[in-house]
Amino acid sequence: MNFISGMLQDLLNILFSFTGDLGVAIVVITLMVKLINNAKEMEKHLQEHSMETMKSMMGCSTILLQMPIVCALYQTFLNMPNTLPSVLIPWISSLNVSDNLFIIPCIYTLTMLATNLISMIPYFRTSSQVMFNKQMTISTVIMGILLTARTPVAIGLYFITSSLYTLVEDVCFRIYIKNKRSLI
């Protein structure tokens, strides 16, 4: 874990030197992790393109692949001296403190819910049968708040970026499936 943490620290320093903002550097690292983890998986899922495949793409495998990165980021930000504020989160003075206003947990929870509720929009439905799962929604809200309430804001920024990426990926995948079905 120290190897990954050291590597992330070096990468953050390099990206910070280019961007001048640690928050932007975290967003770039998040997108890099998502693109590296999802490139082969997305190709496989597009070939199979069934509802079960789409569910598995958004499931636990993606989260498990990211856990070493999340743990390393957590360790990195806990051990960093006071960081600078980010233009992305102007109400926070340092990215290694938690958000006492709970704005980050709320934003993360909303982005997670959006990913879960996208199938409720008629245009994005991939099957005729869409069921609202109250338990899944409640557990999403609880997990979103638990994951980001007392962690460094940097981790919340990672989770928000990751969730937004997943939302965009899901929307694109649903549009792809819809267009592919209309051509058949």
Side-chain angles (χ1 to χ4, degrees):
M1 192 61 70
N2 288 336
F3 174 73
I4 295 173
S5 182
M7 207 168 65
L8 282 174
Q9 181 66 42
D10 292 342
L11 185 58
L12 274 173
N13 288 334
I14 291 168
L15 291 172
F16 178 73
S17 68
F18 284 115
T19 64
D21 189 317
L22 199 53
V24 174
I26 292 168
V27 170
V28 171
I29 284 178
T30 306
L31 294 176
M32 289 170 57
V33 167
K34 293 294 280 184
L35 288 171
I36 290 169
N37 283 343
N38 287 342
K40 290 180 183 176
E41 189 176 338
M42 184 66 160
E43 182 177 323
K44 180 182 88 173
H45 292 293
L46 285 175
Q47 290 173 357
E48 295 171 2
H49 85 292
S50 67
M51 188 60 172
E52 290 76 27
T53 305
M54 187 175 65
K55 291 285 186 196
S56 70
M57 179 179 67
M58 303 305 162
C60 293
S61 62
T62 305
I63 293 170
L64 291 175
L65 288 171
Q66 293 181 53
M67 287 312 292
I69 303 295
V70 172
C71 291
L73 273 176
Y74 186 78
Q75 183 180 13
T76 299
F77 281 105
L78 282 181
N79 295 328
M80 284 183 76
N82 287 337
T83 61
L84 301 171
S86 174
V87 72
L88 299 175
I89 310 168
W91 64 94
I92 299 293
S93 61
S94 175
L95 293 178
N96 61 354
V97 299
S98 61
D99 182 0
N100 292 331
L101 299 175
F102 295 101
I103 295 171
I104 294 293
C106 290
I107 292 171
Y108 177 57
T109 302
L110 289 173
T111 58
M112 281 180 52
L113 282 174
T115 303
N116 291 335
L117 298 175
I118 193 76
S119 64
M120 302 303 281
I121 299 171
Y123 181 78
F124 294 115
R125 287 187 188 146
T126 55
S127 68
S128 59
Q129 191 177 25
V130 176
M131 299 180 70
F132 180 75
N133 189 338
K134 232 191 277 190
Q135 291 172 330
M136 182 66 160
T137 303
I138 292 170
S139 65
T140 298
V141 170
I142 291 170
M143 286 304 295
I145 291 171
L146 286 177
L147 284 172
T148 55
R150 289 289 161 212
T151 59
V153 171
I155 300 298
L157 187 57
Y158 175 85
F159 282 139
I160 289 169
T161 305
S162 182
S163 185
L164 285 172
Y165 180 90
T166 301
L167 177 63
V168 169
E169 184 179 58
D170 190 22
V171 167
C172 291
F173 186 75
R174 288 171 183 274
I175 291 170
Y176 172 79
I177 295 297
K178 187 175 184 97
N179 289 337
K180 190 167 184 156
R181 285 183 182 163
S182 69
L183 293 175
I184 295 177

